[in-house]
Amino acid sequence: FLFCTTMNEDASTFDIPEYIYSRLQPQIYLDFPDELEERKILSAQVPFSTEEIIRYVVRFLQRAHRQDERYSIRDGINISRYALKRVHQREVVRSNDKKNPLQPKNVLTATLSKTYEKKLSHLHSIPFEINSEIEQVLHEAIVSILGKDALKYT
């Protein structure tokens, strides 16, 4: 059924009876997904993402939810996609730079990368440069999509 009313606030009108007013505001409360559900949703919606990015975004969203922040899984999907695009852009630049390996900006990166690869080789993980780079890109994505204040949940 269809019902229309106006809610004017002046002396010539009467309040809507409570039994009608209560029916005009149906409320359905849906809580945010838990950690496992968010991980599944992100994995399904951004299937080409790395586990590291998914884990980081889920952790970010869960921290925000605990503080009653209204960041949605859609925000998490957008952050993941943004970060993946930026990582891809950096990889393209890096592959182009490898064609000219003696450029000044690559000397420091190459030196640091080799140093950290040696120190972290026993961990069998991604080299340090890539991990910190992904974190930097994720911070950039969060700021671009949600603003600087959102970084407090990282």
Side-chain angles (χ1 to χ4, degrees):
F1 94 8
L2 180 62
F3 177 81
C4 280
T5 186
T6 60
M7 305 283 281
N8 299 333
E9 293 187 16
D10 60 41
S12 67
T13 63
F14 299 99
D15 287 337
I16 296 174
E18 182 59 36
Y19 69 93
I20 293 176
Y21 187 76
S22 67
R23 288 171 178 79
L24 293 178
Q25 297 178 341
Q27 294 181 4
I28 300 173
Y29 180 75
L30 296 176
D31 200 7
F32 289 106
D34 64 23
E35 187 174 347
L36 181 61
E37 290 170 329
E38 280 185 333
R39 186 181 303 275
K40 285 180 182 179
I41 293 168
L42 277 172
S43 295
Q45 294 299 312
V46 193
F48 40 85
S49 183
T50 65
E51 182 60 28
E52 184 177 17
I53 289 175
I54 298 280
R55 236 179 311 144
Y56 188 95
V57 172
V58 168
R59 188 184 72 195
F60 166 78
L61 289 172
Q62 290 296 309
R63 286 179 177 171
H65 298 331
R66 283 192 291 276
Q67 299 299 316
D68 293 326
E69 196 67 61
R70 306 299 298 167
Y71 301 143
S72 69
I73 189 69
R74 174 61 51 200
D75 294 321
I77 291 168
N78 291 332
I79 290 166
S80 299
R81 287 179 177 162
Y82 184 104
L84 286 169
K85 287 176 185 176
R86 293 292 290 135
V87 166
H88 177 70
Q89 286 174 340
R90 288 177 180 212
E91 287 173 355
V92 167
V93 168
R94 191 176 297 121
S95 70
N96 289 337
D97 289 346
K98 285 181 181 175
K99 294 173 187 171
N100 303 313
L102 297 178
Q103 290 180 353
K105 67 180 181 179
N106 292 331
V107 174
L108 179 61
T109 303
T111 305
L112 288 173
S113 181
K114 287 178 184 174
T115 302
Y116 283 112
E117 280 181 39
K118 288 177 186 174
K119 288 182 179 179
L120 299 175
S121 62
H122 67 283
L123 297 176
H124 305 293
S125 64
I126 301 172
F128 180 80
E129 176 196 0
I130 294 173
N131 286 332
S132 64
E133 186 174 344
I134 289 174
E135 185 173 20
Q136 180 184 6
V137 167
L138 283 160
H139 283 192
E140 179 186 331
I142 290 167
V143 169
S144 295
I145 293 167
L146 301 172
K148 266 187 179 174
D149 291 343
L151 286 177
K152 63 185 167 190
Y153 303 113
T154 58

